[in-house]
Amino acid sequence: MLKKRILYVVVAMLFAVSVHAQFEKDKLYIGASMTGLNLSFNGVDDLNIGVEAQGGYLVDDNLMLLANASFQHSGNKVVPNSYSAGVGGRYYIIQNGIYLGANCKWIHAQHSYNDIMPGVEVGYAFFINGSVTIEPAVYYNQSFKSHSDYSTIGFKVGIGVYL
């Protein structure tokens, strides 16, 4: 019985060390997520679904710089599809994977709609093995075009790989 408890303690300590190692300086990050899924809200869209790709680099322990690109489809008749590109960052506030993020995206849709949207997010990097994560997050993007119509709050789920 005592050997079993010691084994559990050793495994828990190894897990804690391996999770800590993922947020160290000079690690690379590659991620993809599904956004919207009708779990986001703004003043003009009915259906809202999108995909996002991210790449990042940990410039210091717990501090990551990110670049992202995305495609979004919505039920809005005026702006049905949009594309975005942006930069941002994450700060992992504790070693179990909770993070705060901030970003700024340039959005382009159709021929006449362009917007710059700063955003914030809170998420969790849940490790399913030593380097692969499932990352649910809640986000808010602020529109400068029309605050009540295009500003968006939503939920996204992604998969990340820490190299």
Side-chain angles (χ1 to χ4, degrees), residues 51-81:
V51 292
E52 180 178 47
Q54 294 184 337
Y57 178 73
L58 280 133
V59 294
D60 200 4
D61 288 353
N62 303 323
L63 184 61
M64 181 188 299
L65 294 180
L66 290 166
N68 64 39
S70 68
F71 169 76
Q72 194 81 20
H73 173 76
S74 68
N76 182 343
K77 304 244 188 284
V78 177
V79 185
N81 297 320

Side-chain angles (χ1 to χ4, degrees), residues 9-162:
V9 170
V10 170
V11 169
M13 287 174 32
L14 288 174
F15 178 72
V17 169
S18 70
V19 169
H20 181 291
Q22 299 310 317
F23 306 127
E24 287 180 342
K25 183 178 178 175
D26 295 329
K27 292 273 185 178
L28 295 175
Y29 168 81
I30 299 169
S33 61
M34 294 287 294
T35 61
L37 302 174
N38 272 347
L39 296 174
S40 67
F41 176 78
N42 63 32
V44 295
D45 294 338
D46 294 327
L47 167 69
N48 192 1
I49 189 167
V51 292
E52 180 178 47
Q54 294 184 337
Y57 178 73
L58 280 133
V59 294
D60 200 4
D61 288 353
N62 303 323
L63 184 61
M64 181 188 299
L65 294 180
L66 290 166
N68 64 39
S70 68
F71 169 76
Q72 194 81 20
H73 173 76
S74 68
N76 182 343
K77 304 244 188 284
V78 177
V79 185
N81 297 320
S82 64
Y83 306 90
S84 73
V87 295
R90 281 186 185 173
Y91 179 72
Y92 294 88
I93 58 176
I94 51 180
Q95 288 302 320
N96 68 2
I98 296 174
Y99 64 86
L100 301 174
N103 59 61
C104 189
K105 298 177 185 177
W106 175 71
I107 310 287
H108 174 74
Q110 301 300 7
H111 300 289
S112 61
Y113 179 80
N114 291 304
D115 198 357
I116 294 178
M117 297 181 86
V120 294
E121 69 180 348
V122 176
Y124 179 69
F126 176 76
F127 282 86
I128 55 177
N129 71 21
S131 60
V132 178
T133 59
I134 296 175
E135 299 179 346
V138 175
Y139 64 91
Y140 176 74
N141 293 326
Q142 176 68 49
S143 174
F144 285 119
K145 288 288 187 181
S146 176
H147 299 299
S148 63
D149 288 340
Y150 294 106
S151 296
T152 305
I153 187 167
F155 177 76
K156 63 182 179 179
V157 177
I159 293 178
V161 178
Y162 293 79

